[in-house]
Amino acid sequence: METYHLNINDPAFVYDPYPRLAELRERLPVFFDPVWNKIFFLRYEDIAALLRDRRLGRSITHVLSRDELGWPPPNPLTKDFDHFQENHMLDNEPPKHTRLKGLMLKAFTPARGEGLRGRIERLVHGLIDRVEDQGRMDLLKDYAEPLPVTVIAELLGVPEEDRYLLRPWSAKIVKLYELGYTEEQAQEANQAVVEFSAYIQALAEERRRRPKDDLISALVQVEEQGDRLTSDELVANCILLLNAGHEATVNGTTAGFLALSRDPAALEQVKEAAAKDQPQFFKLAVEELLRYDTPLPMFERWVLEDFEYKGIPLKRGQEVALMYASGNRDPRKFASPDKLWLTRPENPHLTFGLGIHYCIGAPLARLELQTSFRVLFKRLPNIHLVTDRVEYTGGFVIRGHRAMPVAW
């Protein structure tokens, strides 16, 4: 296996990673990066296979101790963040993952998500009502962020007067999923976990005493063969739902709008479909926007046991980096992958993952994105970017924008 360093946090790469990914996908589709100490996979077939392979997992310490892995003692700066990680379903493997996901799905049902369809439509119209007469807004802060944060907050049962707290907490916590985060970011993320956990804990106690028709009340009561979520598990999975439940949607909204702004023909298609109110078009279009510019471009997995994959030795305790953004542009899987084809008939993109860790919030994210794009272009058909260059937040793993000024 060849050695190569990919500086994924280089601003030029974050701004447009696709040319470099295309080059590496052909020349060096698998490589070991000694700086990040990870094996990178760039082709769709490999990423899809490894996501489904149970010999890899989101966690490793259930198989090997820190001493056996040769890791230093836990960082005291991230003690509370680490505890949060240990108790939510995303960073656990079976049997704990199976148990946590089963309990979560008993409360986070498809019917509960589908029941939000009308509410999402009203929220979208309400966000546009606030700014329509101004003739301009920041698409990120005035539209992309408030919608999913409000939806998840309402779903969980967070009172309206407290919702302003959620996005800042989440933004600090997710910095620890980037490669090369700073000590200051570690401290801020840990403090955000402390504050967020205390808030959810108090809300859960209130719902135990006085249940309501919300997800936290359901999670307090949910039971499977005598098993319940512990207090720490309930808190951790509520935080996970808020973080995961809006990051992809926020980034998907701004990245999708940017992609459309750079493709006049696609933009006209969207405007026409919005004017005719064609929801089926937006179902296909959202899938293509999620493929074309992946909101969360990279996920990692630990190797849980020694094995060979296509002749490549993978050793227990190693970490692999799966480049969703590259797989979603692989010409072996997608015809004309660099073309924005809004009615692409087959679109098995990797954006929500595969296997046991497939995103449980994917149906809700799709519903939010389909509604927000359809209503936005119906209400504001002349909406356009008012900048030649948008800025990114700095990291590649959660590739978000700082702002997106638009006018109409």
Side-chain angles (χ1 to χ4, degrees):
M1 187 189 327
E2 289 195 45
T3 296
Y4 177 81
H5 173 51
L6 178 61
N7 183 6
I8 63 172
N9 292 328
D10 173 45
F13 180 77
V14 173
Y15 187 80
D16 184 9
Y18 295 104
R20 173 68 65 83
L21 291 176
E23 173 201 339
L24 289 172
R25 194 168 51 239
E26 302 309 312
R27 181 174 64 84
L28 206 60
V30 183
F31 61 87
F32 174 70
D33 190 319
V35 176
W36 303 125
N37 194 28
K38 303 179 199 301
I39 301 170
F40 282 73
F41 288 85
L42 277 76
R43 289 184 180 170
Y44 182 99
E45 179 183 59
D46 299 331
I47 296 167
L50 293 170
L51 283 172
R52 293 189 174 104
D53 196 315
R54 299 291 292 276
R55 293 171 295 185
L56 292 101
R58 284 282 303 178
S59 61
I60 184 72
T61 50
H62 65 296
V63 173
L64 293 170
S65 68
R66 297 184 70 92
D67 286 344
E68 289 171 315
L69 288 162
W71 289 2
N75 185 350
L77 293 178
T78 59
K79 175 175 68 74
D80 301 284
F81 176 86
D82 293 341
H83 185 66
F84 153 67
Q85 293 281 87
E86 291 165 5
N87 282 289
H88 67 64
M89 61 185 169
L90 181 59
D91 275 356
N92 276 284
E93 291 300 303
K96 187 172 182 177
H97 172 270
T98 308
R99 172 182 160 270
L100 290 174
K101 190 170 185 178
L103 288 166
M104 291 295 292
L105 286 173
K106 282 182 75 71
F108 191 66
T109 61
R112 188 180 288 274
E114 183 60 30
L116 292 167
R117 182 179 294 274
R119 178 60 179 146
I120 290 169
E121 182 107 10
R122 292 191 296 276
L123 283 170
V124 169
H125 279 288
L127 290 169
I128 296 173
D129 288 342
R130 290 183 193 174
V131 297
E132 187 173 18
D133 291 343
Q134 299 173 15
R136 60 179 56 243
M137 68 171 165
D138 179 347
L139 188 76
L140 174 70
K141 292 183 172 58
D142 296 326
Y143 193 72
E145 286 184 347
L147 176 63
V149 171
T150 301
V151 170
I152 290 291
E154 288 190 357
L155 189 64
L156 286 169
V158 176
E160 188 171 355
E161 62 270 20
D162 295 338
R163 291 173 192 166
Y164 74 96
L165 297 164
L166 303 181
R167 176 67 176 171
W169 279 333
S170 177
K172 290 173 182 174
I173 291 168
V174 300
K175 286 294 183 187
L176 292 205
Y177 297 113
E178 296 288 357
L179 303 189
Y181 57 79
T182 66
E183 186 173 295
E184 182 182 2
Q185 288 171 327
Q187 290 175 313
E188 289 179 349
N190 197 74
Q191 184 60 31
V193 167
V194 170
E195 294 172 8
F196 205 162
S197 297
Y199 178 83
I200 295 293
Q201 183 69 55
L203 194 58
E205 288 302 322
E206 171 66 21
R207 293 297 185 267
R208 279 193 180 92
R209 294 191 298 271
R210 285 184 286 274
K212 293 188 177 182
D213 183 21
D214 58 40
L215 190 55
I216 288 183
S217 297
L219 289 171
V220 166
Q221 298 166 34
V222 73
E223 190 167 356
E224 180 76 45
Q225 296 179 342
D227 185 22
R228 288 177 178 267
L229 292 169
T230 68
S231 178
D232 286 348
E233 289 168 350
L234 187 148
V235 167
N237 283 285
C238 285
I239 294 174
L240 173 69
L241 281 178
L242 188 281
N243 293 353
H246 80 278
E247 288 292 345
T249 311
V250 171
N251 296 350
T253 302
T254 53
F257 186 87
L258 187 60
L260 292 170
S261 299
R262 291 170 172 170
D263 190 323
L267 184 59
E268 282 306 311
Q269 269 188 293
V270 169
K271 288 180 179 181
E272 184 178 341
K276 294 178 179 177
D277 207 14
Q278 297 175 325
Q280 187 57 39
F281 170 87
F282 284 93
K283 285 184 179 180
L284 293 174
V286 161
E287 297 306 307
E288 177 66 350
L289 292 169
L290 288 168
R291 178 202 70 83
Y292 183 79
D293 198 3
T294 312
L296 303 173
M298 188 187 98
F299 277 78
E300 296 152 289
R301 293 289 187 272
W302 292 101
V303 181
L304 304 181
E305 60 183 78
D306 293 354
F307 71 101
E308 278 198 4
Y309 174 77
K310 292 186 175 180
I312 301 164
L314 298 176
K315 299 296 184 183
R316 188 165 72 160
Q318 284 185 320
E319 200 170 15
V320 301
L322 306 174
M323 300 292 275
Y324 288 17
S326 175
N328 280 343
R329 293 277 192 110
D330 191 339
R332 294 159 192 80
K333 188 66 178 180
F334 301 98
S336 304
D338 295 321
K339 173 181 169 56
L340 186 60
W341 180 7
L342 295 176
T343 55
R344 189 179 291 272
E346 294 184 24
N347 204 339
H349 60 73
L350 299 163
T351 301
F352 292 117
L354 293 169
I356 65 168
H357 289 292
Y358 183 82
C359 176
I360 69 168
L364 181 57
R366 287 182 161 112
L367 181 57
E368 290 171 346
L369 288 166
Q370 291 162 18
T371 306
S372 66
F373 278 113
R374 176 174 54 80
V375 176
L376 181 68
F377 284 100
K378 185 178 180 67
R379 292 276 307 269
L380 306 173
N382 297 318
I383 190 169
H384 59 277
L385 273 176
V386 293
T387 180
D388 293 330
R389 184 180 177 88
V390 297
E391 290 189 24
Y392 288 80
T393 53
F396 175 74
V397 175
I398 299 176
R399 186 169 166 259
H401 299 95
R402 292 190 188 279
M404 191 157 289
V406 297
W408 51 91

